[in-house]
Amino acid sequence: MSMLPSGHIALVCNPLAGSGRARRITVRLQDWLRERGLSHQVFTQAWPGEFSGFRAVWIIGGDGTMNYFINHYPRIGLPLALFPGG
């Protein structure tokens, strides 16, 4: 039984975090999701204004990325996962 939500997963990545480490982690997460047939979309340079249509948001970056995300989307009601890549 999978602990992942079914549906579309948003991966938001700060490609500069960790001198590219966050981008490498994002690629590995994409591979992992693909292997399991889970729908996802990656956002690097431009993040969406909202996350309607998504079931969860996976944030890949450092503390600055997380701080930006929380301040930019203060009312998000989706499950969030943080993958430290800063």
Side-chain angles (χ1 to χ4, degrees), residues 13 18 25-26 40-41 49 57 69 71 80 86:
C13 170
I25 292 169
T26 300
H40 62 280
Q41 185 171 353
V57 180
F69 185 91
N71 285 297
L80 304 176

Short mmCIF file of all heavy atoms in Angstrom, two decimals, residues 13 18 25-26 40-41 49 57 69 71 80 86:
data_model
loop_
_atom_site.label_atom_id
_atom_site.label_comp_id
_atom_site.label_asym_id
_atom_site.label_seq_id
_atom_site.Cartn_x
_atom_site.Cartn_y
_atom_site.Cartn_z
N CYS A 13 11.11 23.39 -7.41
CA CYS A 13 12.55 23.28 -7.18
C CYS A 13 13.21 24.63 -7.38
O CYS A 13 12.91 25.36 -8.32
CB CYS A 13 13.13 22.27 -8.17
SG CYS A 13 14.94 22.23 -8.20
N GLY A 18 21.87 24.81 -3.18
CA GLY A 18 22.91 23.80 -2.98
C GLY A 18 23.84 23.64 -4.17
O GLY A 18 24.32 22.54 -4.42
N ILE A 25 18.42 16.33 -7.04
CA ILE A 25 17.41 15.63 -6.25
C ILE A 25 16.08 15.59 -7.01
O ILE A 25 15.40 14.56 -7.03
CB ILE A 25 17.24 16.29 -4.87
CG1 ILE A 25 18.50 16.09 -4.04
CG2 ILE A 25 16.00 15.75 -4.15
CD1 ILE A 25 18.55 16.92 -2.77
N THR A 26 15.74 16.70 -7.65
CA THR A 26 14.48 16.77 -8.42
C THR A 26 14.48 15.73 -9.54
O THR A 26 13.48 15.05 -9.77
CB THR A 26 14.28 18.19 -8.99
OG1 THR A 26 14.23 19.12 -7.89
CG2 THR A 26 13.00 18.28 -9.79
N HIS A 40 3.02 13.89 -12.36
CA HIS A 40 3.69 15.00 -11.68
C HIS A 40 4.08 16.08 -12.69
O HIS A 40 4.10 15.83 -13.90
CB HIS A 40 4.94 14.51 -10.95
CG HIS A 40 5.96 13.91 -11.86
ND1 HIS A 40 5.86 12.63 -12.34
CD2 HIS A 40 7.10 14.42 -12.39
CE1 HIS A 40 6.89 12.38 -13.12
NE2 HIS A 40 7.66 13.46 -13.17
N GLN A 41 4.36 17.26 -12.16
CA GLN A 41 4.84 18.35 -12.98
C GLN A 41 5.91 19.10 -12.19
O GLN A 41 5.75 19.32 -10.99
CB GLN A 41 3.70 19.31 -13.34
CG GLN A 41 4.10 20.41 -14.28
CD GLN A 41 2.90 21.21 -14.78
OE1 GLN A 41 1.76 20.86 -14.54
NE2 GLN A 41 3.19 22.29 -15.48
N GLY A 49 0.76 30.41 -9.90
CA GLY A 49 0.11 31.31 -8.96
C GLY A 49 -0.66 30.55 -7.89
O GLY A 49 -0.85 31.03 -6.78
N VAL A 57 2.34 19.03 -2.87
CA VAL A 57 3.46 19.82 -3.37
C VAL A 57 4.72 19.33 -2.67
O VAL A 57 4.77 19.25 -1.45
CB VAL A 57 3.26 21.33 -3.10
CG1 VAL A 57 4.45 22.12 -3.64
CG2 VAL A 57 1.96 21.84 -3.72
N PHE A 69 8.45 29.86 -0.29
CA PHE A 69 7.22 29.12 -0.58
C PHE A 69 6.13 29.45 0.45
O PHE A 69 5.01 29.78 0.09
CB PHE A 69 7.48 27.61 -0.60
CG PHE A 69 6.27 26.83 -1.01
CD1 PHE A 69 6.05 26.53 -2.34
CD2 PHE A 69 5.32 26.42 -0.08
CE1 PHE A 69 4.91 25.83 -2.74
CE2 PHE A 69 4.19 25.73 -0.45
CZ PHE A 69 3.98 25.43 -1.79
N ASN A 71 5.80 31.98 2.44
CA ASN A 71 5.35 33.37 2.36
C ASN A 71 4.56 33.66 1.09
O ASN A 71 3.69 34.51 1.08
CB ASN A 71 6.53 34.32 2.51
CG ASN A 71 7.00 34.41 3.92
OD1 ASN A 71 6.27 34.84 4.80
ND2 ASN A 71 8.22 33.97 4.18
N LEU A 80 2.35 19.11 2.06
CA LEU A 80 3.66 19.58 1.60
C LEU A 80 4.72 18.60 2.07
O LEU A 80 4.66 18.05 3.16
CB LEU A 80 3.99 20.96 2.18
CG LEU A 80 3.00 22.09 1.94
CD1 LEU A 80 3.45 23.35 2.68
CD2 LEU A 80 2.84 22.35 0.46
N GLY A 86 19.50 22.39 -0.16
CA GLY A 86 20.21 23.65 -0.11
C GLY A 86 21.62 23.50 0.39
O GLY A 86 22.12 22.44 0.63
#
